[in-house]
Amino acid sequence: MYKVKVFVTLRESVLDPQGKAVTHSLNSLNYNEVKDVRIGKYMELTLEKSERDIHEVINEICTSLLANPVIEDYRYEVEECVAQ
């Protein structure tokens, strides 16, 4: 079994209005150290081992469903775990 942590974020070239709103809110609460916020998504997947390459499977999942490759980037971490 594999536990996969997937992080999806907007590309740097894409405006992030939600991130800008959070930045503004934090600054209005006197957290002036905060200069920028980017909002993203975090997902955890549990995959069974198969004959297919785990990275190939994850990339297909991310590009077909979890991330919009036109405006979002993704990265992931894979941990081997014991079946429960």
Side-chain angles (χ1 to χ4, degrees):
M1 298 284 285
Y2 296 103
K3 181 177 184 178
V4 181
K5 298 175 182 179
V6 180
F7 305 86
V8 178
T9 55
L10 288 172
R11 292 186 175 202
E12 284 296 321
S13 61
V14 176
L15 240 51
D16 184 353
Q18 187 178 8
K20 291 295 179 203
V22 171
T23 302
H24 178 72
S25 295
L26 290 169
N27 291 162
S28 69
L29 294 170
N30 292 320
Y31 293 105
N32 298 315
E33 305 88 351
V34 178
K35 298 301 177 195
D36 191 33
V37 174
R38 302 285 291 176
I39 302 295
K41 300 179 276 188
Y42 169 75
M43 291 151 273
E44 288 186 0
L45 310 174
T46 303
L47 282 74
E48 290 184 346
K49 286 187 179 183
S50 71
E51 293 182 13
R52 294 182 63 196
D53 178 64
I54 184 72
H55 299 286
E56 180 183 316
V57 172
I58 296 166
N59 282 311
E60 285 179 15
I61 290 170
C62 289
T63 57
S64 64
L65 181 66
L66 300 183
N68 178 344
V70 174
I71 62 169
E72 294 175 317
D73 291 321
Y74 67 90
R75 67 179 177 83
Y76 59 88
E77 301 170 1
V78 178
E79 298 175 13
E80 199 160 348
C81 60
V82 180
Q84 297 179 357

